[in-house]
Amino acid sequence: MHILKVLPSLTLCILLFSCSRGGPLTPLDSFNEIRSAAERSDSEAILKNLSAASLAKIDSLDLMIKQMRDDQKITLANLYNCTPGRLNSMKRADYVSLYFSVKHSGTDLGAVFRDQVVTVDVEGRRALVRTAGGIELGFVREGPYWKLDISDL
């Protein structure tokens, strides 16, 4: 009889956890989630779709900036149109916001996600998404989910 009282609650918990969404299951899903987050300027949502190697890159950039001399920080702050003080207190989401808004090699990453996807090539745990603008973005599979890999950008 005691088990009969617990069974409905246990069944409900299992259903809730099995229906919860954990992340993008295809590279295209990941691209579209990042596109949507970029449109909303939601750096936290973009951050959730970045690979572990990308997060490590952001962390190493943060460490490097914190070790810079003041004159170097001023130069960098001018380049990124922010204050040196902001560079000292940036978090991962701030770096993502900066990375998606600043032009690298003539284009900003945010603009890339406004393009249409032309092809998605998957090879094992890696994928390459090509946009109509000719940009190629690498994605990696981490567990069951696909993440954008900016570690080599």
Side-chain angles (χ1 to χ4, degrees):
M1 172 120 155
H2 196 309
I3 292 177
L4 291 176
K5 290 180 185 178
V6 176
L7 191 59
S9 298
L10 183 61
T11 304
L12 181 62
C13 287
I14 290 171
L15 284 173
L16 285 175
F17 285 116
S18 66
C19 293
S20 66
R21 189 151 174 352
L25 298 176
T26 70
L28 185 58
D29 288 344
S30 182
F31 182 94
N32 288 331
E33 281 190 26
I34 295 169
R35 171 188 285 161
S36 176
E39 288 171 355
R40 299 186 317 269
S41 298
D42 186 350
S43 298
E44 290 290 340
I46 294 171
L47 198 58
K48 291 177 185 174
N49 286 286
L50 294 181
S51 68
S54 299
L55 298 177
K57 177 181 180 173
I58 291 170
D59 292 343
S60 69
L61 176 65
D62 181 54
L63 182 62
M64 183 177 66
I65 289 173
K66 288 187 176 23
Q67 293 173 346
M68 286 180 169
R69 296 185 321 264
D70 288 341
D71 62 316
Q72 292 172 317
K73 287 181 187 176
I74 290 169
T75 302
L76 189 62
N78 288 335
L79 179 67
Y80 290 122
N81 198 27
C82 67
T83 65
R86 180 172 179 226
L87 289 176
N88 288 330
S89 61
M90 288 180 66
K91 306 219 178 326
R92 280 180 173 172
D94 298 321
Y95 285 106
V96 168
S97 177
L98 199 61
Y99 206 80
F100 268 69
S101 65
V102 173
K103 289 188 177 191
H104 300 276
S105 303
T107 188
D108 63 280
L109 199 52
V112 172
F113 283 91
R114 290 190 290 272
D115 278 350
Q116 288 298 110
V117 172
V118 177
T119 61
V120 177
D121 296 319
V122 178
E123 191 172 310
R125 302 183 72 76
R126 301 193 72 67
L128 197 61
V129 173
R130 288 181 188 85
T131 68
I135 304 296
E136 296 180 342
L137 296 170
F139 288 77
V140 295
R141 188 171 177 190
E142 294 180 349
Y145 308 118
W146 285 91
K147 309 272 183 143
L148 174 63
D149 186 16
I150 61 169
S151 65
D152 57 355
L153 291 182

